[in-house]
Amino acid sequence: MNYVSHPLIRPQSIEERRYQISIALRALDMNTMVVLPTGLGKTAVALIVAASRLYSHQGKVLVLAPTKPLVEQHLRFFRQHLLFREATEPEESDFAMFTGATPPAERAQAWEACRICFATPQVIKNDCLSGRYSLTDVVLLVVDECHRAVGNYAYVFIANHYCNTAKSPLVLAMTASPGGDRLKVQEVCENLRIEAVETRVETDEDVLPYIHEREIHYINVDLPPELQEALATLRRLLESRLEKLAKLNYQVPKVDKLSIKALNALNAQIQQRIQSRDPSGFIAASLHAECMKLRHAISLAETQGSEALKLYLARLGAEGASNSGSKASKRLVSDPAYRRLVETVAGWKEELHPKASIVRELVQAQLAVHPDSRIIVFATYRDTVQTLVDTLTAAGIPCERFVGQASRDAERGLSQKEQIATLARFRAGELKCLIATSVGEEGLDVPSTDMVIFYEAVPSEIRSIQRKGRTGRSGSGTIIVLVTKGTSDETFRYVSQNRERAMMRGIKMMSAAPVHSPTTRQTEILTFTSSGPAITVDDRETSSRVVERLHELGASISLERLDLGDYAIGDRILIERKTVQDFVTTLVERDLFGQIHAMADAVPRPVLIIEGSDDLYAVRNIHPNAIRGTLAAIMVDMGVALIRTRDPDDTAETLYVLAQREGGERGERKAHPKKSYRSSREEQEYVLAAFPNVGLKSARLLLEHFGSLKAVIEAEPEELMAVDGIGEKTASAIWDLARRPYR
């Protein structure tokens, strides 16, 4: 076996593969998207490119991945294979890993010392927005799972910021499955400034020597009579709702054609009626919600099983019985036919769907022949994951669930630390089987996985390819897809197959015809400076376009958790930003008045921005006078300034102008507003801030220095000027006003 020979790569550690070298050489010439099936070594390509850039350029490498387990995986790979400083061992400080768990101060310090940084994208975006460090010296940006770079995902901002600020930018984007939609792939390329696409498939001549055999088997499963009867009831319930919608003159599909796409089209009709103030729109919206719930129940019965259906119906029952439950839930659970179904389902004592027992038999058979096997079972829903864990555990098979971080109902998610620990046990052989949701589809480094089982077919070509890529990486592997006959399983099987073929054709075409997207290498002047007005942003707002636009405008942004408001400008202005939909929803379902009142009590200049071009009076079934009364109370009773903006960019530009005005010379001379304060400290600040040229910031500095209002007033101008930020003009104004006779 031949190995890659490079001054910065550990000898005899990376197998020399012709296609990887060819791709790496192309990627060193221009911004490149690399599309390789899982197991063909995208990370090895990234390592070769990174080593070459570090060898030829002075600077850093930044490697981005969407999850902490993936970030840790890349760090582990680079640390294992990379050398520094002409074949010397790297130091600990040469590598840095940034995730949400890394404190900002530590990130800034580690950035200065490291040669390669591995990070989740949101952390880097936040640090760039805050100006904690610069990407100027980054000579390579590696973007893993780059198909995510659409919309407002952090990859988009980082790539744009990097290409505009780095002295010698180069982007290497990697994915196993960019998707079958050519326009979406083109969007990814434009967002990441991609100039060329390099791709290989398993049938390519230079790849064939490294491909391990993968067998794909589809197992057809019959639905048991009990579940067929339950499905018949659910379909009758669904049909009755569709008939009611048809009587309201809506165009409705047949039950067997009721896809998510069809439901979305139906909802578009309903929303159009609501916008035109048609009362039938609100009735239809509730019926549509019932249709959504019934369709989900049908999907569970068809593809998941009786236990998943039972748990879902129980949750619906709890929602319908709750005072806060929706009208749709209450009406559905009160339907006599639905009640009879619930009683029937409650009598089921064990899993009726054959899929669970088939999975158990498949895993047992594999382990009987190959005791050291590693097996991954993919299931869409957590209820199914738990059912499978219970089934396999009862059969004496060491297995664990592998799910996301979010906790739902009584079911707790797995933290990233727990995910990493679970993968470590799986690699070590403590676990023979992993039962995973979609969180296990991207980037798992488990080279010895011998079998992958799809509990259900998935329509997404991206998810299908990622799941299949979990096996056949270092040896032969088997892929098994369970398909319930006569259900959406069959449809999804053929949909994903067709989309995979279309994606491969599209990628081949893009690879043959390079993108040549123009890359802006010249740095804009604003990206060098933070000389713009200062704005404090709540750290929960960083995913919005508003913050990105503020950064583009050159605002000096600081991120912190704000107790009140979304944006703060100086000591006097707090801004709460709400979309039109959110404003009305908060009015109906949450404490809008309490939220705004607290902000109005906290600062002299509270501002409410309502963003969006939607009709404020038409988004919910609320009388227009109620909306008008709310706006009047906010502006007149609470003294809150109200501003309407078109979109996030308009909001950002409004904030920028507010910050410019507040930060200008006139900002501290505005009339002192009438407002209530809750402490003697605030009252002292209030009084002193009313003096000429003195705002809240200067008032606080003076009071902290002198200790009391009396001491400030009695101080001589020279003593006042000793306080940082107090000039001769301000000091003279305080001294003169405190001693001027009242006339």
Coordinates of all heavy atoms in Angstrom, one line a residue, residues 635-668:
M635 N -48.3 53.2 22.7 CA -47.7 54.5 22.4 C -48.0 55.5 23.4 O -47.2 56.3 23.8 CB -48.1 54.9 21.0 CG -47.6 54.0 19.8 SD -48.0 54.7 18.2 CE -49.7 54.3 18.1
V636 N -49.3 55.6 23.8 CA -49.8 56.7 24.6 C -49.6 56.4 26.1 O -49.0 57.2 26.8 CB -51.3 57.1 24.3 CG1 -51.8 58.2 25.2 CG2 -51.4 57.5 22.8
D637 N -50.1 55.3 26.5 CA -50.1 55.0 28.0 C -48.7 54.6 28.4 O -48.3 55.0 29.5 CB -51.0 53.8 28.3 CG -52.5 54.1 28.0 OD1 -52.8 55.3 27.7 OD2 -53.3 53.2 27.9
M638 N -47.9 53.9 27.6 CA -46.6 53.4 28.0 C -45.5 54.3 27.5 O -44.3 54.1 27.9 CB -46.4 52.0 27.6 CG -47.4 51.0 28.1 SD -46.9 49.3 27.6 CE -48.5 48.4 27.9
G639 N -45.8 55.2 26.5 CA -44.7 56.0 26.0 C -43.7 55.3 25.2 O -42.5 55.7 25.1
V640 N -44.1 54.3 24.5 CA -43.2 53.5 23.7 C -43.3 53.9 22.2 O -44.4 54.0 21.7 CB -43.5 52.0 23.8 CG1 -42.6 51.2 22.8 CG2 -43.4 51.5 25.2
A641 N -42.2 54.2 21.6 CA -42.1 54.6 20.2 C -42.4 53.4 19.3 O -41.8 52.3 19.6 CB -40.8 55.2 19.8
L642 N -43.3 53.5 18.4 CA -43.7 52.4 17.5 C -43.1 52.7 16.1 O -43.4 53.7 15.5 CB -45.2 52.2 17.5 CG -45.7 51.1 16.5 CD1 -45.3 49.8 17.0 CD2 -47.2 51.2 16.5
I643 N -42.4 51.7 15.5 CA -41.9 51.8 14.2 C -42.2 50.6 13.4 O -42.1 49.5 13.8 CB -40.3 52.0 14.2 CG1 -39.9 53.2 15.0 CG2 -39.8 52.1 12.8 CD1 -38.4 53.3 15.2
R644 N -42.8 50.8 12.2 CA -43.1 49.7 11.2 C -41.9 49.6 10.2 O -41.5 50.6 9.7 CB -44.4 49.9 10.5 CG -45.6 49.8 11.3 CD -45.9 48.4 11.8 NE -45.9 47.4 10.8 CZ -47.0 47.0 10.2 NH1 -48.2 47.5 10.5 NH2 -47.0 46.0 9.2
T645 N -41.4 48.4 10.0 CA -40.4 48.2 8.9 C -40.9 47.1 8.0 O -41.7 46.2 8.3 CB -39.1 47.7 9.6 OG1 -39.3 46.5 10.3 CG2 -38.5 48.8 10.5
R646 N -40.3 47.1 6.8 CA -40.8 46.2 5.7 C -40.2 44.8 5.9 O -41.0 43.8 5.8 CB -40.3 46.7 4.3 CG -40.9 48.0 3.8 CD -40.4 48.2 2.4 NE -38.9 48.1 2.3 CZ -38.1 49.1 2.5 NH1 -38.6 50.3 2.9 NH2 -36.8 49.0 2.3
D647 N -39.0 44.6 6.3 CA -38.3 43.3 6.4 C -37.1 43.5 7.3 O -36.8 44.5 7.8 CB -37.9 42.9 4.9 CG -37.1 43.9 4.2 OD1 -36.3 44.7 4.8 OD2 -37.3 44.1 2.9
P648 N -36.3 42.3 7.5 CA -35.2 42.4 8.4 C -34.1 43.4 7.9 O -33.5 44.1 8.8 CB -34.6 41.0 8.3 CG -35.8 40.1 8.0 CD -36.6 40.9 7.1
D649 N -33.9 43.6 6.6 CA -32.9 44.6 6.2 C -33.4 46.0 6.6 O -32.5 46.8 7.0 CB -32.7 44.5 4.7 CG -31.8 43.4 4.3 OD1 -31.5 42.5 5.1 OD2 -31.3 43.4 3.1
D650 N -34.6 46.3 6.4 CA -35.2 47.6 6.8 C -35.1 47.8 8.3 O -34.7 48.9 8.7 CB -36.6 47.7 6.3 CG -37.2 49.1 6.4 OD1 -36.4 50.0 6.5 OD2 -38.4 49.2 6.5
T651 N -35.3 46.7 9.1 CA -35.2 46.8 10.5 C -33.7 47.2 10.9 O -33.5 48.0 11.7 CB -35.6 45.5 11.2 OG1 -36.9 45.2 10.9 CG2 -35.4 45.5 12.7
A652 N -32.8 46.5 10.3 CA -31.4 46.7 10.6 C -31.0 48.1 10.2 O -30.3 48.8 11.0 CB -30.5 45.7 9.8
E653 N -31.4 48.6 9.1 CA -31.0 50.0 8.7 C -31.7 51.0 9.6 O -31.1 52.1 9.9 CB -31.4 50.2 7.2 CG -30.5 49.5 6.3 CD -31.1 49.1 4.9 OE1 -32.1 49.7 4.6 OE2 -30.6 48.2 4.3
T654 N -32.9 50.7 10.1 CA -33.5 51.6 11.1 C -32.7 51.6 12.4 O -32.5 52.7 13.0 CB -35.0 51.1 11.4 OG1 -35.7 51.2 10.2 CG2 -35.6 52.0 12.4
L655 N -32.3 50.4 12.9 CA -31.5 50.4 14.1 C -30.2 51.1 13.9 O -29.7 51.8 14.9 CB -31.2 48.9 14.4 CG -32.4 48.0 14.9 CD1 -32.0 46.6 15.0 CD2 -33.0 48.5 16.2
Y656 N -29.6 51.0 12.8 CA -28.3 51.7 12.5 C -28.5 53.2 12.6 O -27.6 53.9 13.2 CB -27.8 51.3 11.1 CG -26.4 51.7 10.8 CD1 -25.3 50.9 11.3 CD2 -26.2 52.9 10.1 CE1 -24.0 51.3 11.0 CE2 -24.9 53.3 9.9 CZ -23.8 52.5 10.3 OH -22.5 52.9 10.0
V657 N -29.6 53.7 12.0 CA -29.8 55.2 12.1 C -30.1 55.6 13.5 O -29.6 56.6 14.0 CB -31.0 55.5 11.2 CG1 -31.4 57.0 11.4 CG2 -30.6 55.3 9.7
L658 N -30.9 54.8 14.3 CA -31.1 55.1 15.7 C -29.8 55.2 16.5 O -29.6 56.1 17.3 CB -32.0 54.0 16.3 CG -33.5 54.1 16.0 CD1 -34.2 52.9 16.5 CD2 -34.1 55.4 16.5
A659 N -28.9 54.2 16.2 CA -27.6 54.1 16.9 C -26.7 55.3 16.5 O -26.0 55.8 17.4 CB -27.0 52.8 16.6
Q660 N -26.7 55.6 15.3 CA -26.0 56.8 14.8 C -26.4 58.1 15.5 O -25.6 58.9 16.0 CB -26.1 57.0 13.3 CG -25.2 56.1 12.5 CD -25.3 56.4 11.0 OE1 -26.4 56.6 10.5 NE2 -24.2 56.5 10.3
R661 N -27.7 58.2 15.6 CA -28.3 59.4 16.2 C -28.0 59.5 17.7 O -27.6 60.5 18.2 CB -29.8 59.5 16.0 CG -30.5 60.8 16.3 CD -31.9 60.8 15.8 NE -32.5 62.0 16.1 CZ -32.4 63.1 15.4 NH1 -31.7 63.1 14.3 NH2 -33.1 64.2 15.7
E662 N -28.2 58.3 18.4 CA -27.9 58.3 19.8 C -26.4 58.4 20.1 O -26.1 59.0 21.1 CB -28.4 56.9 20.4 CG -28.2 56.7 21.9 CD -29.1 57.6 22.7 OE1 -30.0 58.4 22.1 OE2 -29.0 57.6 23.9
G663 N -25.6 57.9 19.2 CA -24.2 58.0 19.5 C -23.6 59.4 19.1 O -22.4 59.7 19.5
G664 N -24.3 60.2 18.4 CA -23.8 61.5 18.0 C -23.8 62.5 19.1 O -24.2 62.2 20.2
E665 N -23.4 63.7 18.8 CA -23.2 64.7 19.8 C -24.5 65.1 20.4 O -24.6 65.4 21.6 CB -22.6 65.9 19.2 CG -22.1 67.0 20.2 CD -21.5 68.1 19.5 OE1 -21.3 68.1 18.3 OE2 -21.1 69.1 20.2
R666 N -25.6 65.0 19.6 CA -26.9 65.4 20.2 C -27.5 64.4 21.1 O -28.5 64.7 21.8 CB -27.9 65.7 19.0 CG -27.5 66.8 18.1 CD -28.4 66.9 16.9 NE -29.8 67.1 17.4 CZ -30.8 66.9 16.6 NH1 -30.7 66.5 15.3 NH2 -32.1 67.1 17.0
G667 N -27.0 63.2 21.1 CA -27.7 62.1 21.8 C -27.9 62.3 23.3 O -28.8 61.9 23.9
E668 N -26.9 63.1 24.0 CA -27.0 63.2 25.4 C -27.7 64.5 25.8 O -27.8 64.9 26.9 CB -25.6 63.3 26.0 CG -24.8 62.0 25.8 CD -25.4 60.8 26.7 OE1 -26.3 61.1 27.5 OE2 -24.9 59.7 26.5

